[in-house]
């Protein structure tokens, strides 16, 4: 009996040891990564530094693998269903490591032709980027059009794609509402939109420059090259 008890005790200890080892291996997997690694590596250079300003940390958690592929697939599915209404698609999420750091959600979808002139877009924060862009310290928006072999029918009617980024936990982490922070926010959004345009194979990258050009405009009248209805 003593021998059986000893064997049973040894077996239980071995099982417990294996369980602890397994848990330990899970815990050793990194929960946090650099800004340059998040969302398929869409942020680098000026965009990575701008993201650090908005989030408050170089080390983040967030969406990782296959982000761009999922967003692109979502855009193609939405376009196939028609684009006469505003539709939400894929996203990228980024959050700082510290408990008081910012969290940013970047969402993509399809917009209606007249959405670029909606009243809640403040005139003073409009930028000539893509079809139109709006920079804010807590929220920024960018509209661009995409004609691509990957999107059937877009050669005749380009896909009208929006990108919106929001700071999700405003209150615990806040940034000053200055032109510098608004433009940092738009720089981050441009990098995400450009990465999606490239993933979709948009002609001329959807009219988005490789390096963000921040040209504010004050005229609320629709600029030339307005989205087609």
């Amino acid at each position: 009996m003593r021998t059986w008890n000893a064997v049973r005790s040894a077996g239980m200890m071995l099982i417990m040891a294996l369980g602890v080892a397994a848990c330990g291996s899970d815990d050793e997997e990194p929960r946090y990564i650099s800004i340059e690694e998040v969302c398929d590596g869409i942020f680098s250079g000026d965009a990575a530094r701008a993201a650090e300003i908005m989030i408050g940390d170089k080390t983040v958690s967030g969406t990782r693998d296959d982000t761009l592929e999922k967003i692109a697939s979502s855009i193609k599915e939405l376009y196939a269903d028609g684009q006469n209404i505003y539709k939400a698609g894929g996203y990228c999420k980024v959050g700082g490591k510290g408990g008081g750091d910012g969290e940013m959600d970047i969402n993509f979808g399809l917009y209606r032709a007249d959405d670029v002139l909606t009243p809640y877009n403040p005139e003073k924060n409009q930028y000539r980027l893509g079809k139109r862009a709006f920079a804010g310290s807590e929220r920024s928006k960018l509209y661009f059009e995409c004609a691509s072999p990957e999107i059937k029918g877009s050669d005749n009617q380009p896909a009208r794609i929006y990108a919106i980024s929001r700071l999700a936990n405003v209150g615990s982490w806040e940034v000053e509402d200055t032109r510098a922070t608004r433009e940092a926010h738009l720089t981050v959004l441009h990098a995400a939109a450009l990465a999606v345009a490239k993933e979709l194979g948009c002609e001329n990258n959807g009219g988005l420059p490789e390096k963000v050009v921040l040209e504010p405009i004050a005229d609320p009248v629709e600029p030339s090259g307005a989205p087609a209805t």
Side-chain angles (χ1 to χ4, degrees):
M1 181 64 68
R2 291 177 183 173
T3 302
W4 168 245
N5 286 338
V7 171
R8 184 173 63 179
S9 296
M12 292 296 293
M13 291 179 65
L14 178 59
I15 292 171
M16 291 175 64
L18 290 173
V20 171
C23 291
S25 64
D26 288 341
D27 291 342
E28 288 169 5
E29 292 182 3
R31 291 183 57 200
Y32 297 99
I33 54 180
S34 69
I35 285 176
E36 289 84 354
E37 295 175 277
V38 76
C39 297
D40 287 341
I42 62 178
F43 304 123
S44 63
D46 291 343
R49 288 186 287 273
E52 181 186 343
I53 291 172
M54 302 310 298
I55 296 168
D57 204 332
K58 293 181 179 180
T59 306
V60 300
S61 63
T63 316
R64 298 185 66 175
D65 299 333
D66 302 324
T67 299
L68 289 174
E69 181 181 346
K70 291 175 181 176
I71 293 173
S73 295
S74 176
I75 292 296
K76 286 185 275 190
E77 290 174 6
L78 293 176
Y79 184 87
D81 289 338
Q83 61 169 354
N84 292 325
I85 61 174
Y86 184 95
K87 298 178 180 179
Y91 63 88
C92 160
K93 292 179 179 291
V94 188
K97 182 178 180 180
D101 289 342
E103 297 176 3
M104 182 179 290
D105 296 339
I106 304 177
N107 295 278
F108 290 84
L110 299 183
Y111 69 90
R112 298 163 300 195
D114 60 350
D115 284 339
V116 294
L117 292 177
T118 48
Y120 57 79
N121 291 326
E123 176 188 340
K124 65 179 181 180
N125 296 337
Q126 293 185 37
Y127 284 76
R128 205 178 299 279
L129 182 64
K131 282 297 178 182
R132 185 72 65 87
F134 302 87
S137 59
E138 295 179 9
R139 181 174 71 169
S140 288
K141 293 171 285 184
L142 194 159
Y143 301 93
F144 67 98
E145 289 189 353
C146 176
S148 167
E150 296 290 320
I151 307 176
K152 186 177 180 180
S154 64
D155 53 337
N156 294 321
Q157 174 58 70
R160 296 187 294 268
I161 302 173
Y162 73 78
I164 297 179
S165 58
R166 297 180 178 88
L167 287 184
N169 66 337
V170 175
S172 58
W173 168 257
E174 294 183 2
V175 293
E176 293 184 55
D177 186 17
T178 64
R179 177 172 174 174
T181 55
R182 290 194 296 268
E183 292 190 347
H185 200 165
L186 190 55
T187 297
V188 174
L189 186 59
H190 165 267
L194 179 63
V196 169
K198 289 184 174 183
E199 181 71 17
L200 285 167
C202 300
E203 182 180 337
N204 192 31
N205 290 332
L208 300 173
E210 285 287 341
K211 184 177 176 62
V212 65
V213 177
L214 298 172
E215 181 186 351
I217 56 177
D219 186 358
V221 176
E222 184 67 4
S224 59
T229 56

